[in-house]
Amino acid sequence: MNISDLTALLKNSLSAIAVTAALTLSAGSAAQEYTVNLKDTDIQEFIKFVADVTGTTMVIDPNVKGKVRVISSKPVSQAELYDLFLSILDVQGYTAVRSGQVIRIVPSKDARSSPVPIMEGQAAIGNDEYVTQVIRLDNISAAKLIPVLRPLVPQQAHMAAYAPSNAIIISDIRSNIGRIVDIIERMDRSAIQTTEIIRLRYGVAEDVVSMLNTLEKSRQGEGADADKEAVLVADKRTNSVVVTADELSVDRIRKLVTYLDTPLEQSGNVRVIYLEYADATTTAEVLTRVMQNISRLEEGGSNKRAGSGESTIEADEGTNSLIITADTDEMAALEAVIARLDIRRAQVLIEAIIVEMTITEGQELGLQWLFANDNGVFGSNVTTDEARRQSAANLAGALIPSDGSEDIGTREVAASLATIPGTTLGWGVVDESLTMAVILNALESQGNSNILSTPSLLTLDNEEAYITVGSEVPFVTGSYTNTGVGNGASNPFQTIERQSVGVTLKVTPQINDGNAVVLDIVQEVSTLAPSLIASDLITNERKIETMVLANDGNIVVLGGLVSDEVKDNSEGVPLLSSIPLLGRLFRTDSVEVTKQNLLVFIRPTIIRDDEDLAGATAEKYRFIRDQQMERRERGLMFLDDGNLPVLPTWEEQIQQLPEVPADDAERE
């Protein structure tokens, strides 16, 4: 034996001596009594002493450790000593679990998983051993009583309700269980009769009440209390069941009514299936083709079933439902297919940005000489431009009137000069039969245009969407004048065709697995071009037809048109225009530079649920309202600013939406 073993033996011997000294035996009475006074005594030595005194076998858990302090001035009997022992264990966080003739000393938190004895009735009231008891309630619901009783028991105790037998299962020391039993007895009094109305949706009130009355009579025959009999009345007007009974009976009857008030299963070979998202007509066509293909496969095989190929699928557009006639196995297959087809489809918000920028600069400088006499009009350096040549001819005609007079028409001259761009200087008369005009053309032009369009539209997956913003412009396609009628009357008319001029966006989105979207896009931008020389309107057209792949929320560029055009034109009289310095009088020079940029950007956004749709809508809604508020802040000149209409806030608009009841939203 080594030094450590001797030290441990000596320590245990001293502890035993201390316990024996603290527990004084009083021999003055017939029964043995003990005066307990302990000061920092090891709990295992105290357990050993109680086991010797009571003559019981105790098994101590290795986790049971600690010091015990007890002060007592009166002696206690053997039974009282054991109760004191159990109280000391409870204070230290341990408990005693009796298993036959053996008592197990374990931590309180582990006691409920031990083989705890089950007690019934008043036998559970006594000392502080750990036991389990089942308490059956007669009038109140055990599940509703658990939240009231749970704070009254220690954390390591176990308490649960068993609804089928309306009982409470509790594991704790006997004294605590006795206190809980007293509380339950005071609460589980005769229940108060209550009345409840249960509305039916599918069942008939009279039939349900008749069935429930039959069940209640059978319960009375099994020995149920007569004073707990439930009173059931059917209300035909509201198709409701009126129940008067105690709380437990009302809960039981409500569960029965809920089970009975269910829709009848459709039987037979005919079934009506209501669709929520899919179109009934389109779905019926798809399913009909599927059944035809199945029939052809079965005809080619050797396992053709009797009656197969006789299934019919009809669509009812009014209720958006399918009427199916088929065998049982075919019906099940069709229902499985319909369940996968009738799903909520995602939507795609397409936002386009169209930017067109055009910069035009031009300069022109030249001289033109015109002479007119009785024999006609002639000149030098007359431009090849049709409009300018026509203007010069009009000017010459104004200088020499067609009626043979020598008076120059001032009004006609002014009208001719007005059609000539640039600066026109000088005209005069050489003699009575010769008129001369000198036209100086000096012109500088500059133009900038910036067109920005942001069309957007929302569409379902795999559905084509189309939006156009513009004007219907008339184009003359033909004319006719009837001059052959009597009295010199004429009947002129023109045929006109109207075409849309503006921004047009046509798109068909297709959402792939994940967040990618395939876009089949046709983008067209058309505008009216300013022109003074054309006989009719001229339109500029920019059109893109393409198919692109973009991720959700990403911006892609569809295409761009970038042009840089320079026109340098020189017109003059041969030989004379080549003379240095003097040739400037017989030449017209013009330069025109045009730069044009056109870019189209597209951003698809996938809308999968109502939350995404509300977010996208709220963004556009708030943008329009901010524009209205900004306009109101600028105010009106002569009217009250309050006359400007303003949308309500998005939050107010949402609050005004009616709530859809859950019962109405459910569909069979």
Side-chain angles (χ1 to χ4, degrees):
M1 182 178 295
N2 53 27
I3 300 299
S4 60
D5 294 337
L6 291 174
T7 303
L9 179 61
L10 179 60
K11 183 177 180 181
N12 293 334
S13 300
L14 293 175
S15 300
I17 295 172
V19 172
T20 305
L23 299 174
T24 304
L25 177 63
S26 300
S29 58
Q32 292 182 350
E33 294 184 347
Y34 305 89
T35 301
V36 181
N37 287 287
L38 303 175
K39 182 178 181 182
D40 295 333
T41 303
D42 187 76
I43 190 172
Q44 294 198 6
E45 295 299 331
F46 180 60
I47 294 173
K48 179 180 179 183
F49 176 79
V50 174
D52 294 339
V53 171
T54 58
T56 57
T57 302
M58 296 187 181
V59 179
I60 305 173
D61 188 277
N63 295 321
V64 177
K65 299 176 182 179
K67 301 294 183 179
V68 178
R69 176 178 295 183
V70 180
I71 301 175
S72 176
S73 60
K74 295 181 180 181
V76 295
S77 63
Q78 179 178 339
E80 292 173 345
L81 175 63
Y82 184 70
D83 291 341
L84 177 62
F85 166 69
L86 294 177
S87 299
I88 293 173
L89 291 179
D90 185 46
V91 171
Q92 295 292 326
Y94 308 111
T95 188
V97 179
R98 184 178 296 274
S99 179
Q101 299 299 324
V102 178
I103 297 177
R104 303 169 62 180
I105 310 300
V106 297
S108 299
K109 62 181 181 178
D110 300 331
R112 59 184 180 182
S113 60
S114 302
V116 181
I118 300 176
M119 301 297 176
E120 295 185 2
Q122 297 298 324
I125 301 176
N127 55 35
D128 287 341
E129 287 186 356
Y130 203 91
V131 296
T132 297
Q133 184 173 359
V134 178
I135 307 171
R136 188 176 183 277
L137 306 181
D138 298 326
N139 300 293
I140 59 178
S141 174
K144 293 183 178 180
L145 195 59
I146 288 294
V148 179
L149 298 178
R150 193 65 184 86
L152 302 179
V153 298
Q155 183 178 4
Q156 65 270 13
H158 174 71
M159 178 180 290
Y162 183 63
S165 62
N166 195 39
I168 294 178
I169 303 173
I170 180 172
S171 296
D172 199 359
I173 60 176
R174 290 186 175 184
S175 58
N176 285 344
I177 292 180
R179 179 170 57 92
I180 296 300
V181 169
D182 291 339
I183 295 174
I184 292 176
E185 288 180 351
R186 287 171 171 80
M187 299 181 64
D188 190 25
R189 303 295 183 182
S190 180
I192 300 175
Q193 298 288 322
T194 60
T195 301
E196 184 170 344
I197 300 175
I198 306 174
R199 297 197 62 178
L200 303 180
R201 184 176 180 184
Y202 304 103
V204 180
E206 293 87 345
D207 298 339
V208 173
V209 168
S210 176
M211 187 180 302
L212 293 176
N213 284 329
T214 303
L215 294 175
E216 289 298 314
K217 290 179 181 179
S218 64
R219 291 185 69 255
Q220 295 298 325
E222 294 176 358
D225 296 339
D227 56 353
K228 294 183 179 180
E229 182 179 357
V231 179
L232 303 172
V233 179
D235 184 9
K236 297 181 180 180
R237 186 178 62 85
T238 60
N239 194 34
S240 305
V241 177
V242 182
V243 184
T244 299
D246 58 83
E247 181 182 0
L248 292 178
S249 298
V250 170
D251 290 341
R252 177 175 51 81
I253 292 173
R254 186 189 300 108
K255 293 179 181 178
L256 291 174
V257 172
T258 302
Y259 177 78
L260 295 175
D261 188 30
T262 55
L264 294 176
E265 293 291 338
Q266 301 182 30
S267 59
N269 295 335
V270 180
R271 182 162 299 180
V272 178
I273 300 178
Y274 295 96
L275 303 180
E276 295 185 8
Y277 305 105
D279 180 69
T281 303
T282 305
T283 306
E285 295 176 356
V286 174
L287 294 178
T288 300
R289 291 194 296 268
V290 171
M291 296 307 298
Q292 291 174 354
N293 295 334
I294 294 176
S295 299
R296 284 195 294 267
L297 291 176
E298 291 178 348
E299 289 176 359
S302 59
N303 57 346
K304 181 179 179 181
R305 301 186 309 272
S308 63
E310 300 177 357
S311 304
T312 60
I313 304 171
E314 300 292 338
D316 182 21
E317 297 182 0
T319 59
N320 194 38
S321 59
L322 298 175
I323 305 173
I324 303 176
T325 304
D327 294 335
T328 304
D329 53 350
E330 293 179 350
M331 186 73 73
L334 288 173
E335 288 180 346
V337 175
I338 293 173
R340 288 167 174 78
L341 292 178
D342 188 26
I343 60 175
R344 177 167 180 165
R345 297 163 60 186
Q347 303 181 85
V348 180
L349 176 63
I350 309 296
E351 297 173 289
I353 302 177
I354 305 169
V355 182
E356 182 177 1
M357 302 179 64
T358 304
I359 301 175
T360 304
E361 295 182 356
Q363 292 183 351
E364 183 178 350
L365 179 62
L367 281 174
Q368 298 184 35
W369 301 84
L370 293 176
F371 300 92
N373 57 15
D374 296 340
N375 296 325
V377 179
F378 57 94
S380 67
N381 194 27
V382 177
T383 180
T384 58
D385 186 89
E386 181 64 28
R388 298 181 183 274
R389 186 167 59 249
Q390 184 64 35
S391 300
N394 294 335
L395 177 59
L399 295 177
I400 301 179
S402 59
D403 55 1
S405 63
E406 297 180 358
D407 298 332
I408 297 175
T410 306
R411 181 176 300 176
E412 289 77 3
V413 172
S416 300
L417 293 176
T419 60
I420 300 176
T423 302
T424 304
L425 300 176
W427 63 272
V429 177
V430 178
D431 55 22
E432 294 180 355
S433 61
L434 179 62
T435 305
M436 179 192 68
V438 181
I439 303 175
L440 173 63
N441 296 112
L443 179 65
E444 181 178 2
S445 62
Q446 183 176 3
N448 296 319
S449 63
N450 186 357
I451 302 175
L452 175 64
S453 301
T454 57
S456 62
L457 69 162
L458 181 68
T459 181
L460 284 173
D461 183 24
N462 285 322
E463 292 291 339
E464 182 182 270
Y466 175 86
I467 184 175
T468 179
V469 179
S471 304
E472 291 287 338
V473 179
F475 291 87
V476 178
T477 58
S479 62
Y480 177 76
T481 302
N482 184 8
T483 59
V485 297
N487 300 326
S490 61
N491 185 22
F493 66 91
Q494 291 180 334
T495 57
I496 295 176
E497 179 183 358
R498 294 184 177 272
Q499 296 182 6
S500 178
V501 176
V503 178
T504 301
L505 175 62
K506 183 186 297 183
V507 60
T508 303
Q510 179 182 354
I511 302 176
N512 295 339
D513 291 339
N515 292 326
V517 183
V518 177
L519 301 173
D520 187 0
I521 300 173
V522 177
Q523 175 72 63
E524 181 179 351
V525 180
S526 56
T527 58
L528 292 177
S531 176
L532 299 176
I533 62 176
S535 60
D536 205 344
L537 299 176
I538 298 177
T539 58
N540 298 324
E541 186 179 43
R542 315 284 188 266
K543 188 173 183 179
I544 298 175
E545 294 186 14
T546 183
M547 182 176 291
V548 297
L549 176 66
N551 288 332
D552 179 22
N554 287 0
I555 300 177
V556 296
V557 58
L558 296 186
L561 175 62
V562 180
S563 64
D564 193 350
E565 183 180 0
V566 179
K567 294 182 180 180
D568 188 358
N569 187 27
S570 180
E571 299 175 348
V573 178
L575 299 179
L576 295 179
S577 60
S578 301
I579 301 174
L581 298 178
L582 187 60
R584 178 76 263 181
L585 300 176
F586 303 96
R587 187 174 68 248
T588 299
D589 298 327
S590 62
V591 178
E592 183 179 359
V593 179
T594 302
K595 294 183 179 180
Q596 190 174 45
N597 299 320
L598 175 64
L599 293 174
V600 180
F601 302 91
I602 292 290
R603 182 177 69 177
T605 303
I606 300 177
I607 307 296
R608 298 190 182 273
D609 49 27
D610 292 337
E611 184 178 355
D612 294 341
L613 181 60
T617 305
E619 180 182 358
K620 303 296 183 182
Y621 189 93
R622 292 191 178 100
F623 172 76
I624 294 298
R625 189 177 186 278
D626 292 342
Q627 296 294 320
Q628 292 180 341
M629 293 300 297
E630 182 181 354
R631 183 64 185 89
R632 172 176 281 188
E633 291 177 358
R634 291 201 304 266
L636 297 174
M637 184 176 298
F638 300 109
L639 299 178
D640 185 9
D641 296 343
N643 293 330
L644 288 173
V646 176
L647 292 172
T649 62
W650 175 254
E651 290 73 16
E652 295 174 352
Q653 193 72 16
I654 292 299
Q655 293 176 358
Q656 294 176 1
L657 296 177
E659 296 183 358
V660 179
D663 294 341
D664 296 340
E666 295 177 356
R667 303 187 66 181
E668 182 181 352

